[in-house]
Amino acid sequence: MKKICILSLDGGGIRGIITCIILKYIEERLQELDHPHAKLGDYFDMVAGSSTGGLITSILLCPGENSKAKHSVTRGLELYSKKGEDIFQVSFWQKLINPFGLFSEKISQEALEKNLVDFFGTIELRELIKPCLITSYDIENRRAKLFNSVEASRQSTDNFLVKDVCRATSAAPTYFSPVQIQSMYGQTFSLIDGGMFANNPALCAYAEARKMPFAEIFKNHQKPNHPVVNDMIIVSIGTGAEAKPYSFKSLENAGKIAGFPL
């Protein structure tokens, strides 16, 4: 295909399982129509993700043999269904001593960090098989920090361990603590969840794609360098929406200690 196909994945914590189910359906159709072992990471020119979407992005683009995707979407779905409870659940004891995340973060990061190490090991951002954009926010410099695998391949100041990128993009305030990570160059960044400014990273992906020489990256003259809007197809997948209404009375006296009636 001549157009640049971009996959954009929203944030949403454990609701990332919804994203995986949708992606699994798409991947299964590709396996029926194109190749029985098709993996979704091989079919998009760029993948973008915020928070839990950044984690799924990293799973889809993990390098396997011959620069092809290592994991199917099913692998990501397994991670959420088998490990999600350990990563995202708040225990009764934590609720008792730390109501509403008032005194510290709601969820311990230990389970998240252990699973990231087990899954990604020492894979670097520059090794991901396709251009990607994963969002986070730099709390010391008060600006977005965008992890871009193309830039990572060009200079060590933009290259990071994938496990650290995933930890940064998923560091939602009051749920997980902020994180300090180092680039392969040794520069330290203090980061929180990218969903704080771009829970839907589609527009960020569009802006970054405009700057990328895709024909050169893929060594394919049919792909456009620095594509414009008519050169792109963007598939944006969310994690559902809260449909429960709240009355004025139920929120009238709500505060940090009172909590939000979720």
Side-chain angles (χ1 to χ4, degrees):
M1 182 181 289
K2 295 180 180 180
K3 289 185 180 291
I4 300 301
C5 296
I6 300 172
L7 178 63
S8 174
L9 306 175
D10 289 9
I14 188 60
R15 291 185 302 174
I17 197 169
I18 298 172
T19 302
C20 288
I21 291 170
I22 296 170
L23 293 177
K24 187 173 186 293
Y25 174 83
I26 297 172
E27 188 174 77
E28 287 174 347
R29 298 291 76 77
L30 288 170
Q31 290 170 351
E32 291 176 3
L33 298 172
D34 189 31
H35 193 281
H37 301 295
K39 295 182 175 68
L40 200 60
D42 293 323
Y43 286 80
F44 285 91
D45 299 307
M46 179 179 179
V47 185
S50 284
S51 192
T52 198
L55 174 57
I56 298 170
T57 296
S58 300
I59 294 171
L60 294 179
L61 300 183
C62 261
E65 295 180 358
N66 301 317
S67 298
K68 296 291 186 179
K70 181 177 182 180
H71 302 299
S72 69
V73 177
T74 301
R75 187 71 179 90
L77 189 57
E78 289 173 353
L79 180 66
Y80 278 83
S81 60
K82 294 180 180 179
K83 303 292 186 179
E85 185 175 0
D86 292 337
I87 295 172
F88 296 104
Q89 183 172 342
V90 182
S91 70
F92 171 78
W93 179 246
Q94 286 173 310
K95 290 178 182 177
L96 185 64
I97 64 174
N98 182 35
F100 317 119
L102 180 62
F103 303 113
S104 64
E105 290 71 28
K106 281 186 180 180
I107 306 175
S108 170
Q109 65 265 24
E110 292 179 3
L112 173 62
E113 291 175 353
K114 180 182 184 303
N115 280 284
L116 292 177
V117 171
D118 291 345
F119 196 97
F120 295 109
T122 58
I123 296 173
E124 297 176 15
L125 182 62
R126 65 180 178 84
E127 297 178 71
L128 298 185
I129 64 169
K130 296 287 182 67
C132 77
L133 181 74
I134 299 175
T135 66
S136 66
Y137 187 79
D138 186 330
I139 57 176
E140 292 188 350
N141 294 304
R142 297 296 296 270
R143 64 188 182 193
K145 174 60 181 174
L146 304 178
F147 296 101
N148 184 321
S149 56
V150 173
E151 295 300 323
S153 67
R154 293 172 177 166
Q155 48 192 9
S156 60
T157 52
D158 291 315
N159 190 29
F160 297 80
L161 292 175
V162 170
K163 68 178 182 65
D164 291 339
V165 172
C166 290
R167 177 65 179 88
T169 192
S170 60
T174 79
Y175 285 91
F176 292 109
S177 63
V179 64
Q180 284 192 322
I181 66 172
Q182 284 191 338
S183 68
M184 304 309 290
Y185 183 75
Q187 186 177 5
T188 300
F189 296 85
S190 300
L191 304 171
I192 59 173
D193 193 317
M196 299 306 295
F197 75 94
N199 199 55
N200 179 343
L203 188 57
C204 294
Y206 167 77
E208 287 297 302
R210 288 290 306 269
K211 298 183 287 186
M212 289 190 185
F214 284 97
E216 297 173 19
I217 291 170
F218 294 125
K219 296 179 174 57
N220 181 351
H221 70 276
Q222 292 187 325
K223 294 289 184 182
N225 285 325
H226 316 295
V228 296
V229 64
N230 290 333
D231 295 323
M232 302 183 203
I233 296 174
I234 300 178
V235 179
S236 180
I237 299 178
T239 55
E242 176 59 59
K244 177 182 176 182
Y246 296 104
S247 68
F248 174 81
K249 186 174 181 60
S250 67
L251 296 180
E252 185 176 11
N253 298 312
K256 180 62 176 177
I257 294 180
F260 197 79
L262 294 177

